[in-house]
Amino acid sequence: MRLDITLITIIVTGVISLYTLYVDQNLLDKLILRPFRDSKEGNYYTLATSGFVHADFSHLFFNMLTLYFFGRHVDIVLGPLGFMGLYLASILIANLVSFQKNKADTNYASLGASGGTSGIVFASILFYPYSKIFFFFIPIPIPGPLYAILYLAYSYYASKNRQDGINHDAHFYGALTGLAVAILVQPTSLTMFIQYVLGGFL
């Protein structure tokens, strides 16, 4: 029986997130990425643990729903170890960028699996460029490569404005990390992706 790493990741993240949200919020605060506090105290474990806790149930639900739809496609190509390597690398690199940019901000905090899920989504788009993506609440199929461009452009723009309380840096750098790891592990996928795009994905 094949290990369903996507489902395991969703369950583990769900259990930790729900426990810290509704049972032990002191633990939640310890696991959140707070660059100012963590740099002073040497709590570098939060670069990883903050990816397994969430601000509320809807935050958790949308991240895990995204992981559910895209994770298995990446697992098929990379296997369980490759999947987890890519997922964790996307969380760590995305959070490291946030950590470095906000070490002097006493109020800055970040949590959630968005960096990891973004990495999984972009790896999935690389491996399956012909796929169509339905964005939340928009019932129009968007070609994967076009979605990737729009996602990166919006995340970059939003990260410069920082007016909505969302860590768009995690989305942006998590996506790029997932893409980079996917190319590193499966370099032929980049060639196939470029050929598909040049052939006119629309």
Side-chain angles (χ1 to χ4, degrees):
M1 184 176 180
R2 195 173 191 279
L3 181 68
D4 191 338
I5 192 63
T6 299
L7 184 59
I8 291 173
T9 304
I10 290 172
I11 292 173
V12 170
T13 305
V15 169
I16 296 173
S17 294
L18 293 174
Y19 179 80
T20 54
L21 274 173
Y22 300 112
V23 179
D24 190 349
Q25 293 203 340
N26 288 327
L27 178 60
L28 175 63
D29 186 65
K30 291 179 181 178
L31 300 182
I32 289 174
L33 178 68
R34 295 187 183 276
F36 181 82
R37 176 199 67 184
D38 297 340
S39 62
K40 299 297 182 183
E41 299 179 2
N43 297 334
Y44 301 114
Y45 62 83
T46 60
L47 292 170
T49 59
S50 58
F52 292 87
V53 293
H54 289 78
D56 51 43
F57 182 79
S58 62
H59 186 206
L60 170 66
F61 177 78
F62 284 116
N63 269 334
M64 294 303 98
L65 185 65
T66 301
L67 189 59
Y68 176 79
F69 282 120
F70 291 92
R72 286 189 171 97
H73 299 298
V74 176
D75 178 22
I76 289 172
V77 178
L78 299 184
L81 289 179
F83 172 98
M84 282 309 301
L86 186 148
Y87 185 71
L88 293 175
S90 297
I91 289 175
L92 289 170
I93 297 300
N95 281 336
L96 185 60
V97 172
S98 298
F99 181 87
Q100 292 295 334
K101 290 179 66 173
N102 298 282
K103 284 194 294 187
D105 188 344
T106 57
N107 297 316
Y108 183 88
S110 180
L111 73 169
S114 297
T117 56
S118 295
I120 292 294
V121 169
F122 270 61
S124 177
I125 291 173
L126 177 72
F127 297 147
Y128 306 93
Y130 47 82
S131 61
K132 307 292 184 183
I133 296 176
F134 287 87
F135 193 69
F136 292 125
F137 310 121
I138 302 177
I140 302 173
I142 304 173
L146 177 60
Y147 174 86
I149 293 171
L150 295 174
Y151 185 92
L152 287 177
Y154 173 74
S155 296
Y156 181 81
Y157 169 80
S159 70
K160 297 299 182 182
N161 289 272
R162 293 180 59 177
Q163 296 177 346
D164 55 8
I166 297 173
N167 185 1
H168 293 284
D169 280 333
H171 297 174
F172 185 82
Y173 289 101
L176 291 182
T177 300
L179 187 61
V181 172
I183 293 172
L184 181 65
V185 177
Q186 292 284 339
T188 58
S189 62
L190 178 60
T191 302
M192 296 175 63
F193 179 87
I194 292 174
Q195 289 175 344
Y196 177 79
V197 171
L198 293 179
F201 61 81
L202 293 175

Short mmCIF file of all heavy atoms in Angstrom, two decimals, residues 34-67:
data_model
loop_
_atom_site.label_atom_id
_atom_site.label_comp_id
_atom_site.label_asym_id
_atom_site.label_seq_id
_atom_site.Cartn_x
_atom_site.Cartn_y
_atom_site.Cartn_z
N ARG A 34 8.17 34.87 14.94
CA ARG A 34 8.27 36.27 15.37
C ARG A 34 9.73 36.67 15.24
O ARG A 34 10.53 36.45 16.17
CB ARG A 34 7.78 36.45 16.81
CG ARG A 34 6.30 36.15 17.03
CD ARG A 34 5.85 36.50 18.44
NE ARG A 34 4.47 36.15 18.68
CZ ARG A 34 3.43 36.92 18.36
NH1 ARG A 34 3.64 38.08 17.77
NH2 ARG A 34 2.19 36.54 18.63
N PRO A 35 10.12 37.23 14.10
CA PRO A 35 11.54 37.47 13.82
C PRO A 35 12.28 38.25 14.89
O PRO A 35 13.43 37.90 15.23
CB PRO A 35 11.50 38.24 12.49
CG PRO A 35 10.24 37.76 11.84
CD PRO A 35 9.26 37.59 12.97
N PHE A 36 11.67 39.30 15.44
CA PHE A 36 12.36 40.10 16.46
C PHE A 36 12.65 39.25 17.69
O PHE A 36 13.78 39.20 18.18
CB PHE A 36 11.52 41.32 16.83
CG PHE A 36 12.18 42.21 17.85
CD1 PHE A 36 13.13 43.14 17.45
CD2 PHE A 36 11.86 42.10 19.20
CE1 PHE A 36 13.75 43.96 18.40
CE2 PHE A 36 12.48 42.91 20.15
CZ PHE A 36 13.42 43.84 19.75
N ARG A 37 11.60 38.58 18.20
CA ARG A 37 11.76 37.73 19.38
C ARG A 37 12.70 36.56 19.10
O ARG A 37 13.60 36.26 19.89
CB ARG A 37 10.39 37.19 19.80
CG ARG A 37 10.42 36.20 20.97
CD ARG A 37 9.15 35.36 21.03
NE ARG A 37 9.03 34.45 19.88
CZ ARG A 37 7.98 33.67 19.67
NH1 ARG A 37 6.95 33.69 20.52
NH2 ARG A 37 7.94 32.86 18.62
N ASP A 38 12.48 35.91 17.96
CA ASP A 38 13.22 34.69 17.67
C ASP A 38 14.71 34.96 17.44
O ASP A 38 15.55 34.13 17.78
CB ASP A 38 12.62 33.98 16.46
CG ASP A 38 11.18 33.54 16.72
OD1 ASP A 38 10.80 33.43 17.90
OD2 ASP A 38 10.43 33.33 15.75
N SER A 39 15.02 36.10 16.84
CA SER A 39 16.43 36.44 16.62
C SER A 39 17.13 36.73 17.94
O SER A 39 18.32 36.43 18.11
CB SER A 39 16.56 37.63 15.68
OG SER A 39 15.96 38.80 16.24
N LYS A 40 16.40 37.31 18.89
CA LYS A 40 16.98 37.62 20.21
C LYS A 40 17.15 36.35 21.04
O LYS A 40 18.14 36.20 21.77
CB LYS A 40 16.08 38.61 20.96
CG LYS A 40 15.89 39.95 20.27
CD LYS A 40 17.18 40.72 20.12
CE LYS A 40 16.93 42.08 19.48
NZ LYS A 40 18.20 42.83 19.27
N GLU A 41 16.18 35.44 20.93
CA GLU A 41 16.18 34.24 21.77
C GLU A 41 16.79 33.02 21.08
O GLU A 41 16.96 31.98 21.71
CB GLU A 41 14.75 33.93 22.21
CG GLU A 41 14.11 35.04 23.04
CD GLU A 41 12.69 34.73 23.44
OE1 GLU A 41 12.21 33.61 23.10
OE2 GLU A 41 12.04 35.58 24.06
N GLY A 42 17.09 33.14 19.80
CA GLY A 42 17.64 32.01 19.06
C GLY A 42 16.62 30.92 18.78
O GLY A 42 16.99 29.74 18.67
N ASN A 43 15.37 31.30 18.62
CA ASN A 43 14.29 30.32 18.37
C ASN A 43 14.13 30.05 16.87
O ASN A 43 13.08 30.32 16.29
CB ASN A 43 12.96 30.83 18.94
CG ASN A 43 13.00 30.99 20.44
OD1 ASN A 43 13.77 30.32 21.12
ND2 ASN A 43 12.16 31.87 20.97
N TYR A 44 15.15 29.50 16.28
CA TYR A 44 15.11 29.32 14.83
C TYR A 44 14.22 28.16 14.39
O TYR A 44 13.93 28.02 13.21
CB TYR A 44 16.53 29.13 14.31
CG TYR A 44 17.42 30.32 14.63
CD1 TYR A 44 18.50 30.19 15.51
CD2 TYR A 44 17.15 31.57 14.11
CE1 TYR A 44 19.29 31.28 15.83
CE2 TYR A 44 17.95 32.68 14.42
CZ TYR A 44 19.01 32.52 15.29
OH TYR A 44 19.78 33.60 15.61
N TYR A 45 13.77 27.36 15.34
CA TYR A 45 12.85 26.28 15.00
C TYR A 45 11.52 26.81 14.46
O TYR A 45 10.81 26.10 13.77
CB TYR A 45 12.60 25.39 16.23
CG TYR A 45 11.94 26.09 17.40
CD1 TYR A 45 10.55 26.25 17.44
CD2 TYR A 45 12.69 26.57 18.47
CE1 TYR A 45 9.93 26.88 18.52
CE2 TYR A 45 12.09 27.20 19.53
CZ TYR A 45 10.71 27.36 19.55
OH TYR A 45 10.11 28.00 20.62
N THR A 46 11.20 28.07 14.78
CA THR A 46 9.93 28.63 14.30
C THR A 46 9.92 28.81 12.79
O THR A 46 8.84 28.97 12.20
CB THR A 46 9.65 29.99 14.97
OG1 THR A 46 10.70 30.91 14.67
CG2 THR A 46 9.51 29.83 16.48
N LEU A 47 11.10 28.79 12.16
CA LEU A 47 11.13 28.83 10.69
C LEU A 47 10.38 27.64 10.11
O LEU A 47 9.81 27.73 9.02
CB LEU A 47 12.58 28.82 10.20
CG LEU A 47 13.42 30.06 10.50
CD1 LEU A 47 14.89 29.80 10.17
CD2 LEU A 47 12.90 31.26 9.72
N ALA A 48 10.36 26.54 10.83
CA ALA A 48 9.64 25.34 10.38
C ALA A 48 8.28 25.21 11.05
O ALA A 48 7.27 24.98 10.39
CB ALA A 48 10.47 24.09 10.66
N THR A 49 8.24 25.39 12.39
CA THR A 49 7.00 25.13 13.12
C THR A 49 5.86 26.08 12.75
O THR A 49 4.69 25.70 12.81
CB THR A 49 7.23 25.22 14.64
OG1 THR A 49 7.72 26.52 14.98
CG2 THR A 49 8.24 24.16 15.08
N SER A 50 6.20 27.30 12.35
CA SER A 50 5.14 28.26 11.98
C SER A 50 4.36 27.80 10.76
O SER A 50 3.25 28.28 10.51
CB SER A 50 5.74 29.65 11.73
OG SER A 50 6.71 29.60 10.70
N GLY A 51 4.92 26.86 10.00
CA GLY A 51 4.21 26.34 8.84
C GLY A 51 3.18 25.29 9.19
O GLY A 51 2.44 24.83 8.31
N PHE A 52 3.09 24.93 10.46
CA PHE A 52 2.14 23.90 10.89
C PHE A 52 1.08 24.43 11.84
O PHE A 52 0.33 23.65 12.44
CB PHE A 52 2.90 22.73 11.53
CG PHE A 52 3.73 21.97 10.55
CD1 PHE A 52 5.03 22.37 10.25
CD2 PHE A 52 3.22 20.86 9.89
CE1 PHE A 52 5.81 21.68 9.32
CE2 PHE A 52 3.98 20.16 8.97
CZ PHE A 52 5.28 20.57 8.68
N VAL A 53 1.02 25.75 11.98
CA VAL A 53 -0.03 26.39 12.78
C VAL A 53 -0.70 27.47 11.93
O VAL A 53 -0.12 27.97 10.97
CB VAL A 53 0.53 27.00 14.08
CG1 VAL A 53 1.01 25.91 15.02
CG2 VAL A 53 1.68 27.97 13.78
N HIS A 54 -1.94 27.80 12.30
CA HIS A 54 -2.72 28.74 11.50
C HIS A 54 -3.47 29.73 12.37
O HIS A 54 -3.70 29.49 13.55
CB HIS A 54 -3.69 27.99 10.59
CG HIS A 54 -2.99 27.26 9.48
ND1 HIS A 54 -2.34 26.06 9.67
CD2 HIS A 54 -2.81 27.59 8.17
CE1 HIS A 54 -1.79 25.67 8.52
NE2 HIS A 54 -2.06 26.58 7.60
N ALA A 55 -3.85 30.85 11.75
CA ALA A 55 -4.48 31.94 12.49
C ALA A 55 -5.91 31.63 12.89
O ALA A 55 -6.38 32.09 13.93
CB ALA A 55 -4.45 33.22 11.65
N ASP A 56 -6.62 30.87 12.07
CA ASP A 56 -8.00 30.49 12.37
C ASP A 56 -8.37 29.30 11.49
O ASP A 56 -7.56 28.82 10.68
CB ASP A 56 -8.98 31.66 12.15
CG ASP A 56 -8.83 32.32 10.79
OD1 ASP A 56 -8.67 31.58 9.78
OD2 ASP A 56 -8.86 33.55 10.71
N PHE A 57 -9.61 28.81 11.65
CA PHE A 57 -10.01 27.61 10.93
C PHE A 57 -10.05 27.83 9.43
O PHE A 57 -9.65 26.95 8.65
CB PHE A 57 -11.39 27.15 11.42
CG PHE A 57 -11.84 25.87 10.75
CD1 PHE A 57 -11.35 24.64 11.15
CD2 PHE A 57 -12.74 25.92 9.68
CE1 PHE A 57 -11.75 23.47 10.52
CE2 PHE A 57 -13.14 24.76 9.05
CZ PHE A 57 -12.65 23.53 9.46
N SER A 58 -10.53 29.00 8.97
CA SER A 58 -10.61 29.25 7.53
C SER A 58 -9.22 29.30 6.90
O SER A 58 -9.02 28.82 5.78
CB SER A 58 -11.37 30.55 7.25
OG SER A 58 -10.70 31.67 7.81
N HIS A 59 -8.25 29.85 7.62
CA HIS A 59 -6.86 29.89 7.16
C HIS A 59 -6.35 28.47 6.96
O HIS A 59 -5.75 28.13 5.93
CB HIS A 59 -6.02 30.65 8.19
CG HIS A 59 -4.60 30.90 7.78
ND1 HIS A 59 -3.58 31.08 8.69
CD2 HIS A 59 -4.02 30.99 6.56
CE1 HIS A 59 -2.45 31.27 8.06
NE2 HIS A 59 -2.68 31.22 6.75
N LEU A 60 -6.60 27.64 7.94
CA LEU A 60 -6.21 26.23 7.87
C LEU A 60 -6.93 25.51 6.74
O LEU A 60 -6.31 24.78 5.95
CB LEU A 60 -6.53 25.54 9.20
CG LEU A 60 -6.41 24.00 9.24
CD1 LEU A 60 -4.96 23.57 9.06
CD2 LEU A 60 -6.97 23.48 10.57
N PHE A 61 -8.23 25.73 6.63
CA PHE A 61 -9.04 25.03 5.64
C PHE A 61 -8.57 25.32 4.21
O PHE A 61 -8.38 24.39 3.41
CB PHE A 61 -10.51 25.44 5.80
CG PHE A 61 -11.42 24.83 4.76
CD1 PHE A 61 -11.82 23.51 4.86
CD2 PHE A 61 -11.85 25.59 3.68
CE1 PHE A 61 -12.66 22.95 3.89
CE2 PHE A 61 -12.68 25.04 2.71
CZ PHE A 61 -13.09 23.72 2.82
N PHE A 62 -8.36 26.57 3.88
CA PHE A 62 -7.98 26.92 2.50
C PHE A 62 -6.58 26.42 2.16
O PHE A 62 -6.33 25.97 1.04
CB PHE A 62 -8.10 28.42 2.28
CG PHE A 62 -9.50 28.89 2.10
CD1 PHE A 62 -10.09 29.76 3.01
CD2 PHE A 62 -10.26 28.46 1.03
CE1 PHE A 62 -11.41 30.19 2.85
CE2 PHE A 62 -11.57 28.88 0.85
CZ PHE A 62 -12.15 29.74 1.77
N ASN A 63 -5.67 26.47 3.13
CA ASN A 63 -4.33 25.95 2.86
C ASN A 63 -4.35 24.44 2.65
O ASN A 63 -3.71 23.91 1.73
CB ASN A 63 -3.38 26.29 4.01
CG ASN A 63 -2.65 27.60 3.80
OD1 ASN A 63 -2.44 28.05 2.69
ND2 ASN A 63 -2.25 28.22 4.90
N MET A 64 -5.09 23.73 3.48
CA MET A 64 -5.14 22.27 3.37
C MET A 64 -5.96 21.83 2.15
O MET A 64 -5.67 20.79 1.55
CB MET A 64 -5.70 21.66 4.65
CG MET A 64 -4.80 21.85 5.87
SD MET A 64 -3.11 21.19 5.66
CE MET A 64 -2.19 22.70 5.22
N LEU A 65 -6.97 22.60 1.78
CA LEU A 65 -7.73 22.29 0.57
C LEU A 65 -6.83 22.41 -0.65
O LEU A 65 -6.87 21.56 -1.55
CB LEU A 65 -8.93 23.24 0.45
CG LEU A 65 -9.90 22.96 -0.70
CD1 LEU A 65 -10.59 21.61 -0.51
CD2 LEU A 65 -10.94 24.08 -0.81
N THR A 66 -6.02 23.46 -0.68
CA THR A 66 -5.06 23.63 -1.78
C THR A 66 -4.07 22.47 -1.82
O THR A 66 -3.78 21.92 -2.89
CB THR A 66 -4.29 24.96 -1.61
OG1 THR A 66 -5.21 26.04 -1.60
CG2 THR A 66 -3.29 25.16 -2.74
N LEU A 67 -3.57 22.09 -0.66
CA LEU A 67 -2.62 20.98 -0.59
C LEU A 67 -3.27 19.68 -1.04
O LEU A 67 -2.64 18.87 -1.73
CB LEU A 67 -2.11 20.84 0.85
CG LEU A 67 -0.96 19.87 1.08
CD1 LEU A 67 0.25 20.27 0.25
CD2 LEU A 67 -0.60 19.82 2.56
#
